Amino acid sequence: MMWENQTMVTEFVLLGLCETWEAQLFIFILFLVLYVATLFSNILISSAIFRDHHLSDSPMFFLLGQLAFLDLCLSSFAIPKSLFDYIAQHQAISFDGCMAQIFFIHFFGGIEMLLLIVMAYDRYVAISHPLRYASLMNRRHCMALLLASWAGGLLHATVQLAFIINVPFCGPNQVDSFYCDLPLVIKLACTDTYPLEVMMVTNSGILSLVCFIGLLLSYGFILYTVCSRGPSEGTTKAASTCTSHLIVVTMYFGPIMFIYLRPYTRFMIDKVLSVFYTSITPLLNPAIYALKNKEMKAALGIIYAHKVG
């Protein structure tokens, strides 16, 4: 074919989010603040959970600790490199590095998507079948569900990578973002991109849409069950927890569906959503849970008291 006689791309150039020096400096400071805050908040949440045996033995908080770890991973696959690139004034990334970014964003993203489903199931069992909760969500079952989430994320990322890694790239090599992702890299391929875009819509877009609708229906059913029992302290706490979960689910799936369900067009808001997905959501997740949960606030208070004392 024609591309066989052309030079293959060995690196990509990440154009970032803006062009002017002043705007780049602002983005650098913003990313640095968001990343440090994300590291601090998620490590704090994880420490509070695993230092308190009462929390770590609870399936809900055990899963929350796993979510905090995934948020750390999701914010670390691209942001540190973007910060170093600004300091070095070098925006290039090798072909292998680009493929690695694609793999890890879908690996950690796929795990988190499945973990949110597990967390919804946990709340469903706790509210709808409270007498069976201890047996259905014991540590062995929690670990099995967690391992299934990791296996699902690995399968999802492997499928995405398998479709793109052998695609020919012979130029141009400029990626219009601060990290490599499928919708942007696919458009640079020296071949018909329609089958790749259909694969992406199917494997990422429709999958995330189905999961999102299923989660909305699940939490809707849970909230209906809670509200039908009449007002009490227990129902108020359950409704508050489910509301927190719904906020996290919406923040997580919203950008994903917007980006992956319509790969044929590109809007400026896609860059904003990429920042939201990789920087802001991992920061907001622990804040939402900590502010909405009395046990978590108490555990954080104990850590603060130890540090001050």
Side-chain angles (χ1 to χ4, degrees), residues 177-225:
S177 185
F178 63 97
Y179 68 91
C180 291
D181 197 10
L182 273 179
L184 303 173
V185 176
I186 281 177
K187 294 183 181 299
L188 303 178
C190 299
T191 186
D192 181 16
T193 61
Y194 179 77
L196 297 172
E197 293 181 334
V198 170
M199 175 277 303
M200 184 181 65
V201 170
T202 303
N203 194 27
S204 293
I206 295 179
L207 179 63
S208 60
L209 178 63
V210 171
C211 290
F212 179 65
I213 293 175
L215 284 168
L216 288 182
L217 293 175
S218 298
Y219 280 116
F221 176 77
I222 293 172
L223 288 173
Y224 173 78
T225 303

Side-chain angles (χ1 to χ4, degrees), residues 9-35:
V9 169
T10 58
E11 68 175 17
F12 294 94
V13 177
L14 303 175
L15 298 181
L17 299 175
C18 48
E19 297 179 0
T20 65
W21 182 86
E22 294 82 0
Q24 289 178 4
L25 178 60
F26 172 77
I27 293 297
F28 172 80
I29 295 173
L30 177 64
F31 273 9
L32 181 61
V33 171
L34 288 175
Y35 185 63

Side-chain angles (χ1 to χ4, degrees), residues 231-248:
S232 68
E233 182 179 352
T235 57
T236 302
K237 179 181 176 181
S240 176
T241 301
C242 290
T243 302
S244 300
H245 285 213
L246 273 174
I247 294 172
V248 171

Side-chain angles (χ1 to χ4, degrees), residues 85-99:
D85 284 349
Y86 175 82
I87 296 174
Q89 290 297 297
H90 179 72
Q91 281 73 42
I93 183 172
S94 67
F95 179 86
D96 291 340
C98 185
M99 295 299 107

Side-chain angles (χ1 to χ4, degrees), residues 110-300:
I111 296 171
E112 187 159 330
M113 179 170 62
L114 296 174
L115 181 64
L116 291 172
I117 295 175
V118 173
M119 295 174 75
Y121 173 73
D122 170 71
R123 290 301 86 205
Y124 167 76
V125 174
I127 293 170
S128 300
H129 304 282
L131 298 180
R132 301 178 60 196
Y133 180 69
S135 60
L136 290 176
M137 292 302 295
N138 57 40
R139 181 51 58 93
R140 183 168 61 87
H141 289 169
C142 282
M143 289 301 300
L145 291 171
L146 182 63
L147 289 174
S149 299
W150 279 77
L154 178 62
L155 176 62
H156 169 69
T158 302
V159 170
Q160 299 285 70
L161 189 64
F163 274 96
I164 192 68
I165 196 167
N166 291 319
V167 170
F169 294 95
C170 50
N173 68 336
Q174 294 182 331
V175 179
D176 190 20
S177 185
F178 63 97
Y179 68 91
C180 291
D181 197 10
L182 273 179
L184 303 173
V185 176
I186 281 177
K187 294 183 181 299
L188 303 178
C190 299
T191 186
D192 181 16
T193 61
Y194 179 77
L196 297 172
E197 293 181 334
V198 170
M199 175 277 303
M200 184 181 65
V201 170
T202 303
N203 194 27
S204 293
I206 295 179
L207 179 63
S208 60
L209 178 63
V210 171
C211 290
F212 179 65
I213 293 175
L215 284 168
L216 288 182
L217 293 175
S218 298
Y219 280 116
F221 176 77
I222 293 172
L223 288 173
Y224 173 78
T225 303
V226 169
C227 295
S228 65
R229 294 177 179 176
S232 68
E233 182 179 352
T235 57
T236 302
K237 179 181 176 181
S240 176
T241 301
C242 290
T243 302
S244 300
H245 285 213
L246 273 174
I247 294 172
V248 171
V249 164
T250 303
M251 289 194 310
Y252 180 77
F253 281 96
I256 294 176
M257 292 186 295
F258 188 86
I259 292 173
Y260 291 104
L261 279 174
R262 42 129 205 97
Y264 309 104
T265 54
R266 178 78 176 159
F267 300 111
M268 283 301 298
I269 196 175
D270 288 359
K271 289 188 175 184
V272 178
L273 291 176
S274 67
V275 175
F276 193 90
Y277 176 64
T278 57
S279 303
I280 299 177
T281 300
L283 172 63
L284 292 180
N285 281 354
I288 291 172
Y289 280 106
L291 292 175
K292 297 282 287 184
N293 191 280
K294 292 181 180 179
E295 291 94 334
M296 182 58 64
K297 286 189 285 188
L300 293 174

